[in-house]
Amino acid sequence: MANNLKELTLCLKKICFQAVRKHFAAVGTEAVLGLPTPLIKDILPYLTVCQLDELQPALNQRGVSTHSEWIGVLQDMCGPNHVTDFDTEEEAKHEVMRMLFTLVFYGLTSPFVKRNITNLNTPSFLWAAAKCIKHFLLTTPVESLTAERRPLLNLLEKRIWSVGVSQNIDISKRTTQSALYVLHRLLDHGVAKKVVVHVQCPIVLAWILHGRGSQYVNPDFKDLLNSKKASCISQAASASADGPSCGSGLGTRASEDQVTPCKRSKLDSAEQSRKANFTLDPQALCKTFSPRDGPSAGACPWGRIDCLDIRQCGSDSLKVLNSALPTFFCLRSLTLHSFLTFRDSDVLSLARALKQLSESSRSSLADLSISVLPCTRLVKVLLDASPNLMSLHTEIQTLMWGPRLLPHRPRTAESDMSAELLPLEKLDIKVAELQTDLSFVTSVLRRCPHFTSLHLAGMRLPTGSSLSQLFTTLSESNPLLRSLNLEDLKLSDCLPEILNLLRDCKLEELRFNDCRLVECWSNKEESLQRLVAALKAVPSLHTLSLAQNRLAKNVCVLAELFSGPSPSSVKRLDISSNFIQPAELLEFAKRLRTHRPPHRLNLDLRVNPGDRDPDTWNAALMKLRPFCVLLVKGWSSTDTMADHISNM
């Protein structure tokens, strides 16, 4: 009888909660907030994301968090095994809103959206979600921002920090004006300072750079901008060999190059008339779409671009950029990525433009990322061309076919090669080649007295060589090192040098991922104990990753990080992909329970074979949860290849 009454009560509560969700506007926020706190917590999982967002500030004042509800929405959207590593409710909410805004605004579908379409496909949801996003992708249906969703553009103008161009903008079509107008509003009237170009379209890149930082004006684009003739537009738009919408002849040299006129069929008079009023001028676009913001109300502002990211940077786009770079004084961050390996000549041309920029006292370029370089020696070329960089990220992939005819490289003075790179603090290099000379990295490190962060991945040394010299150089030349991230390297013969580095360092993050760390150790447990003892003696260390090192049963030694009177300060420990069996994790949990960390530990246990003994694995997790935030992702032991790779 009592059980039946309890079930009936729960059923009635559920019906009431669903009614509140459905008639929330009529019920009102005050009525919900007037409920007892336990009842409010019960009702939260039934509310929509808009209702949660509306109630959250008032709930926080009462000490009620919506964090678990936002995490629940994420898991509902992405699946129960999705890693939701968001420590605060604001982080979790912003991730939910970011994902849902993308799905709803662009008309994409997902099971979650289909189930909740009535609550999501509304102006109020888009308005709420837009307050949580910082990056906006310029693609269809962006035209709606100049029509029925125009109020949303006003909000985005105040919120968006980064704009992405994800499709070719055909400047020969009048519909292009909508996209250019939105781009103008976000870049010039708004707060956006970062542009991400996902397409190879030099003429659009020239439009973006025009008037927004660089003092250089592409002559061909200037003619196009000022022209009232449709033929001019068509000639410039068809100059590219890749297609009629992306001109490739722009900016090959700073001032003297001209586009050769292209022959095209004569347009009929109707077509000529249709395009007669076509404009690319941002000032005129404002007058066309919003007269109040146009020249009649005063000249539009010119925004500046602090961060430029070109994801498909071919030779033609690089020519446009190189022409603008020498006077691009406001640029702080530059990212260039090509799906094909850059040619040596392209990289050397970029280096010359960077050198011209660096020679100006007004240059602010601090961060450079470029991939994919054809050889390691070009890393030094770029650093020498831009000695004021604070960080460099690059990927290197040596061509494996055919002879390489390297262009002539101007000789660099020996004094320049040995000069200190005072500002350089971060170096991130991913290498994909059969053999790499380690000296190219150590020579750079010796020139960087203020160096703080190093990430190396994939480096293969000649037979008989060792990475031990890397640790020796870091110990001797880089006392300010804070973050060391080594990935897909062989470190099993470097233990003495690693221990020496740890004796006197200020490391905050240490990552040895897929480094075959214990592979050659004759006594794995004893050697790992020596490493743990050295790590405990680094008081600044808060993040440690030993993922993919085949620790297996030796994982138990890591519990000693927190033993004794001076436990480690590590707050994040990644031991994923180490083929840790359930019994081994249980033993690790028992030891860690004996030597409890002084703070809550973020523990990454993903991709370990917990399903081989689920009961033991779950028992281990139960012991860890009181003092650990666990990241756990399912493992299928029926996948024999995964087993084989993890146990090699």
Side-chain angles (χ1 to χ4, degrees):
M1 184 71 176
N3 289 336
N4 291 337
L5 182 60
K6 184 177 181 180
E7 290 177 3
L8 180 61
T9 302
L10 291 174
C11 184
L12 288 173
K13 286 177 67 175
K14 182 177 179 180
I15 293 172
C16 291
F17 293 159
Q18 290 173 337
V20 170
R21 170 190 170 110
K22 184 176 181 179
H23 304 288
F24 186 84
V27 173
T29 57
E30 293 301 324
V32 175
L33 294 171
L35 296 172
T37 298
L39 201 56
I40 290 178
K41 291 181 178 180
D42 288 342
I43 203 175
L44 291 182
Y46 292 87
L47 300 181
T48 69
V49 292
C50 275
Q51 293 163 1
L52 276 175
D53 178 60
E54 184 178 344
L55 290 172
Q56 181 174 308
L59 291 176
N60 291 162
Q61 291 180 355
R62 291 183 56 172
V64 178
S65 172
T66 58
H67 180 262
S68 60
E69 279 65 46
W70 292 115
I71 293 295
V73 174
L74 277 175
Q75 291 177 336
D76 193 4
M77 293 173 62
C78 306
N81 291 326
H82 179 72
V83 177
T84 52
D85 188 15
F86 299 99
D87 295 332
T88 68
E89 65 178 4
E90 280 299 307
E91 291 174 342
K93 181 182 81 171
H94 278 241
E95 180 65 9
V96 168
M97 292 301 202
R98 181 193 67 79
M99 294 176 66
L100 287 177
F101 180 90
T102 301
L103 292 170
V104 175
F105 182 83
Y106 297 110
L108 306 176
T109 59
S110 75
F112 181 87
V113 171
K114 287 180 179 179
R115 291 196 308 270
N116 297 274
I117 190 64
T118 304
N119 304 307
L120 295 176
N121 194 19
T122 63
S124 60
F125 165 74
L126 285 176
W127 186 268
K131 294 179 181 179
C132 298
I133 64 173
K134 299 297 182 184
H135 179 77
F136 182 77
L137 202 59
L138 196 74
T139 186
T140 304
V142 72
E143 295 83 4
S144 65
L145 293 176
T146 63
E148 70 274 12
R149 288 174 173 170
R150 189 178 188 86
L152 191 60
L153 178 59
N154 297 329
L155 176 63
L156 294 174
E157 183 182 295
K158 301 173 184 177
R159 298 276 181 170
I160 296 300
W161 288 89
S162 171
V163 184
V165 179
S166 64
Q167 64 185 31
N168 287 332
I169 299 177
D170 188 345
I171 64 167
S172 67
K173 296 181 179 178
R174 288 183 61 85
T175 53
T176 294
Q177 292 183 90
S178 298
L180 295 183
Y181 170 67
V182 171
L183 194 53
H184 163 63
R185 285 284 300 271
L186 297 177
L187 288 179
D188 299 322
H189 292 270
V191 296
K193 295 291 187 291
K194 178 178 180 179
V195 177
V196 183
V197 183
H198 296 269
V199 292
Q200 164 72 301
C201 199
I203 197 167
V204 172
L205 180 61
W207 188 92
I208 291 172
L209 297 180
H210 178 77
R212 298 183 182 90
S214 177
Q215 296 178 1
Y216 169 74
V217 177
N218 184 290
D220 304 308
F221 180 74
K222 185 178 181 181
D223 292 342
L224 177 63
L225 194 64
N226 296 330
S227 175
K228 298 298 182 181
K229 297 181 180 180
S231 58
C232 261
I233 297 174
S234 300
Q235 289 170 11
S238 61
S240 170
D242 296 330
S245 64
C246 300
S248 63
L250 298 174
T252 53
R253 284 190 291 272
S255 59
E256 64 269 27
D257 283 3
Q258 300 294 330
V259 174
T260 303
C262 301
K263 294 181 180 180
R264 90 189 283 272
S265 301
K266 184 177 180 180
L267 298 171
D268 57 41
S269 58
E271 181 72 2
Q272 292 279 2
S273 175
R274 185 182 71 83
K275 291 185 176 180
N277 295 322
F278 183 89
T279 180
L280 300 177
D281 184 1
Q283 311 277 333
L285 285 170
C286 247
K287 186 175 182 180
T288 300
F289 285 94
S290 183
R292 290 176 297 174
D293 298 333
S296 61
C300 294
W302 282 101
R304 71 177 199 178
I305 297 173
D306 293 346
C307 180
L308 179 62
D309 186 340
I310 306 177
R311 298 290 174 87
Q312 292 188 34
C313 188
S315 295
D316 295 330
S317 293
L318 199 57
K319 289 174 183 176
V320 173
L321 175 65
N322 287 344
S323 297
L325 264 180
T327 56
F328 209 154
F329 303 128
C330 64
L331 188 66
R332 292 188 54 82
S333 175
L334 176 62
T335 298
L336 306 173
H337 176 76
S338 173
F339 291 117
L340 300 176
T341 303
F342 281 108
R343 298 178 301 186
D344 292 71
S345 56
D346 288 337
V347 181
L348 294 175
S349 297
L350 173 65
R352 285 192 290 270
L354 288 171
K355 186 170 181 61
Q356 288 179 269
L357 176 62
S358 68
E359 289 172 346
S360 169
S361 59
R362 297 171 61 187
S363 172
S364 59
L365 184 64
D367 306 313
L368 175 63
S369 177
I370 179 169
S371 58
V372 180
L373 293 181
C375 60
T376 54
R377 73 168 177 83
L378 289 173
V379 174
K380 282 189 177 182
V381 173
L382 292 172
L383 285 172
D384 291 329
S386 197
N388 295 320
L389 287 178
M390 295 182 66
S391 73
L392 174 65
H393 167 90
T394 184
E395 295 183 21
I396 301 162
Q397 183 172 339
T398 301
L399 296 176
M400 302 302 295
W401 57 88
R404 296 186 62 225
L405 300 177
L406 299 181
H408 172 70
R409 176 189 168 194
R411 295 186 61 184
T412 305
E414 187 64 30
S415 59
D416 292 338
M417 292 296 293
S418 59
E420 288 187 336
L421 299 168
L422 290 175
L424 190 66
E425 297 179 357
K426 299 180 180 180
L427 188 62
D428 187 339
I429 300 177
K430 183 178 181 180
V431 184
E433 58 183 2
L434 292 179
Q435 288 188 353
T436 303
D437 184 1
L438 181 62
S439 63
F440 101 92
V441 175
T442 55
S443 63
V444 171
L445 294 176
R446 293 190 188 99
R447 299 167 61 191
C448 306
H450 299 143
F451 198 75
T452 61
S453 177
L454 176 64
H455 178 200
L456 289 181
M459 189 174 292
R460 299 290 180 267
L461 302 186
T463 304
S465 300
S466 171
L467 282 163
S468 58
Q469 184 58 46
L470 172 66
F471 295 99
T472 300
T473 302
L474 290 171
S475 299
E476 296 174 350
S477 304
N478 309 109
L480 301 180
L481 188 67
R482 295 288 188 274
S483 175
L484 180 59
N485 186 350
L486 303 182
E487 183 181 352
D488 189 18
L489 305 175
K490 182 182 178 182
L491 300 182
S492 57
D493 59 346
C494 300
L495 182 59
E497 290 77 16
I498 294 174
L499 298 179
N500 184 58
L501 173 65
L502 294 175
R503 285 191 187 98
D504 186 21
C505 73
K506 297 179 175 63
L507 278 174
E508 298 174 0
E509 297 182 41
L510 179 62
R511 303 178 189 273
F512 291 155
N513 292 349
D514 192 16
C515 286
R516 290 165 280 172
L517 195 60
V518 302
E519 184 179 87
C520 296
W521 292 352
S522 57
N523 189 327
K524 292 179 173 56
E525 183 175 354
E526 180 184 351
S527 297
L528 194 57
Q529 286 174 340
R530 293 172 61 195
L531 178 61
V532 167
L535 290 168
K536 285 178 62 176
V538 183
S540 55
L541 189 67
H542 59 69
T543 299
L544 175 63
S545 176
L546 299 175
Q548 291 180 270
N549 278 290
R550 304 160 197 161
L551 297 179
K553 63 180 180 181
N554 298 295
V555 69
C556 300
V557 176
L558 296 182
E560 297 180 19
L561 278 167
F562 307 103
S563 64
S566 301
S568 171
S569 55
V570 167
K571 297 180 181 179
R572 293 181 177 270
L573 178 61
D574 184 352
I575 51 176
S576 60
S577 302
N578 270 295
F579 205 70
I580 301 170
Q581 302 274 10
E584 295 159 359
L585 183 66
L586 182 60
E587 179 61 26
F588 172 76
K590 291 177 179 178
R591 295 194 191 185
L592 202 60
R593 194 173 182 179
T594 302
H595 310 299
R596 285 204 178 194
H599 33 249
R600 196 164 179 80
L601 181 67
N602 282 271
L603 184 62
D604 193 338
L605 297 171
R606 289 173 291 179
V607 200
N608 283 299
D611 69 334
R612 295 195 168 186
D613 185 351
D615 292 339
T616 302
W617 182 263
N618 290 329
L621 297 182
M622 288 292 291
K623 289 184 179 295
L624 291 169
R625 281 200 171 94
F627 50 90
C628 292
V629 176
L630 302 178
L631 295 181
V632 183
K633 188 176 182 180
W635 165 290
S636 175
S637 290
T638 58
D639 188 343
T640 55
M641 181 55 70
D643 276 9
H644 171 69
I645 292 174
S646 298
N647 200 28
M648 284 174 59

